[in-house]
Amino acid sequence: MRKTTALIAAIALLGGLTACSGGTAASTAGCDPVVLPGKASAVITAPGKLGSAPKVGFPTPLYTETTQASTIIAGTGAPITAGQPVILDVTILNGADATPLQKTSYAATGGSLITAGKSTFPAVSEGLECAKVGSRISIVGSAKDSHRGAADAANGIGKDDSFVYVVDIKGAFLAKANGADQIPVNGMPAVVLTADGTPGISVPDRSAPKTSTVNVLKEGSGDKVKSNQFLVVKFTAIGWNSKTVFDSTWTDHQASVLQVGAATVSPGLSKALIGQRVGSQVLAVLPPRAAAVADGSGKAPADDAAVYVVDILGIAG
């Protein structure tokens, strides 16, 4: 099956999904979608049960200059708002000739994770806004929103080709930490949030703690995090001395999945998150040894304490 580089980069496969923590969302009446229905999205047919691979049909060639989205199966869950990570299954075809490009596994306990709203893959991320959890929607993405208008002759994609996406929305997580504000701890970095939850971190003019130090900035009321669970998170990490961001999910408007206690997560960060509740925002200052990742994949500096601000948005499995 043909695959597009943009899609692979934008949608992270998430296996073993067992639970979703839905975030608070606006009512349908108060939700203003970025992507509207149109003649192109309305002609898509995709019969079949939600969560099973549909047999997608539409007249070809199908083009649109502006991305469109229509509802095929109406869900009864909360509407998706910008910033919410969403678990979905998706089938993607070239609108020019209905050639299959990619589809997810449609496994009962799996899915893919993408964050609704502004992103580098707007056809799907913006098309999700205001759709309800439990829905199947059709999106016809413009060439610009689907593949930046770049032809891919090897995969039979023309520069003006629209893509057709049939998306099953399986669940959604919090857009940002929503727990109760806690009293800051003296000597720890100060954190200021923008309206969408993006943290700005100010490090005090003093030496970093020599041992791992954790401060809960917002205390959530959701499930407690256990070792080896997959967490859906948003975070920013900076060096204490350099005051430079070395890793952040906020820069590309996407959430991330961390398996706490695994070799892919530093022991200091895992310890800081285990036992916390969904909806919490956690500030952790980790010396280099605690911030280092066992498998060598970490981005933390080897000669500087790492400062993490982590929003725990849900438990994925």
Side-chain angles (χ1 to χ4, degrees):
M1 180 170 292
R2 294 168 180 168
K3 298 181 179 181
T4 67
T5 302
L7 177 69
I8 296 169
I11 299 182
L13 296 180
L14 180 63
L17 176 70
T18 58
C20 292
S21 299
T24 301
S27 66
T28 303
C31 192
D32 297 319
V34 175
V35 178
L36 300 174
K39 292 181 179 180
S41 61
V43 301
I44 308 299
T45 59
K49 185 179 178 182
L50 189 82
S52 61
K55 185 176 181 180
V56 182
F58 54 89
T60 57
L62 187 63
Y63 293 98
T64 180
E65 293 184 357
T66 58
T67 297
Q68 304 172 10
S70 296
T71 300
I72 297 174
I73 298 174
T76 58
I80 303 298
T81 57
Q84 282 193 274
V86 178
I87 294 294
L88 54 80
D89 277 310
V90 59
T91 296
I92 307 173
L93 307 95
N94 191 332
D97 55 11
T99 299
L101 297 172
Q102 187 175 3
K103 68 177 180 180
T104 52
S105 67
Y106 289 89
T109 58
S112 296
L113 184 74
I114 188 170
T115 302
K118 183 179 179 181
S119 78
T120 56
F121 192 57
V124 172
S125 63
E126 292 185 356
L128 287 169
E129 289 192 56
C130 296
K132 289 187 174 183
V133 173
S135 295
R136 171 173 289 171
I137 63 174
S138 61
I139 301 172
V140 184
S142 67
K144 178 182 177 182
D145 289 347
S146 296
H147 50 87
R148 301 183 182 90
D152 182 358
N155 286 324
I157 298 169
K159 66 181 182 63
D160 297 321
D161 289 355
S162 298
F163 284 0
V164 172
Y165 311 84
V166 175
V167 180
D168 287 4
I169 303 172
K170 303 175 75 171
F173 301 93
L174 297 170
K176 59 183 178 181
N178 65 351
D181 291 335
Q182 303 297 295
I183 298 173
V185 174
N186 289 336
M188 289 285 277
V191 178
V192 179
L193 306 177
T194 63
D196 70 354
T198 304
I201 305 171
S202 178
V203 178
D205 187 18
R206 48 162 290 187
S207 298
K210 294 183 179 180
T211 59
S212 297
T213 308
V214 178
N215 179 203
V216 177
L217 303 179
K218 293 180 180 290
E219 187 170 1
S221 57
D223 293 339
K224 274 191 177 182
V225 176
K226 299 177 182 179
S227 183
N228 293 318
Q229 285 183 320
F230 290 89
L231 305 187
V232 178
V233 300
K234 293 181 183 178
F235 67 89
T236 290
I238 71 171
W240 179 285
N241 293 319
S242 70
K243 298 177 176 56
T244 300
V245 175
F246 62 83
D247 202 4
S248 179
T249 63
W250 294 94
T251 55
D252 59 3
H253 306 280
Q254 293 295 310
S256 183
V257 179
L258 303 178
Q259 185 182 15
V260 290
T264 53
V265 179
S266 72
L269 187 58
S270 287
K271 187 175 181 180
L273 297 178
I274 292 170
Q276 307 293 353
R277 291 188 179 273
V278 171
S280 296
Q281 183 178 75
V282 179
L283 169 65
V285 180
L286 309 177
R289 184 174 180 179
V293 177
D295 69 356
S297 63
K299 299 180 181 179
D303 57 354
D304 194 2
V307 180
Y308 287 87
V309 175
V310 183
D311 286 17
I312 305 174
L313 307 179
I315 297 172

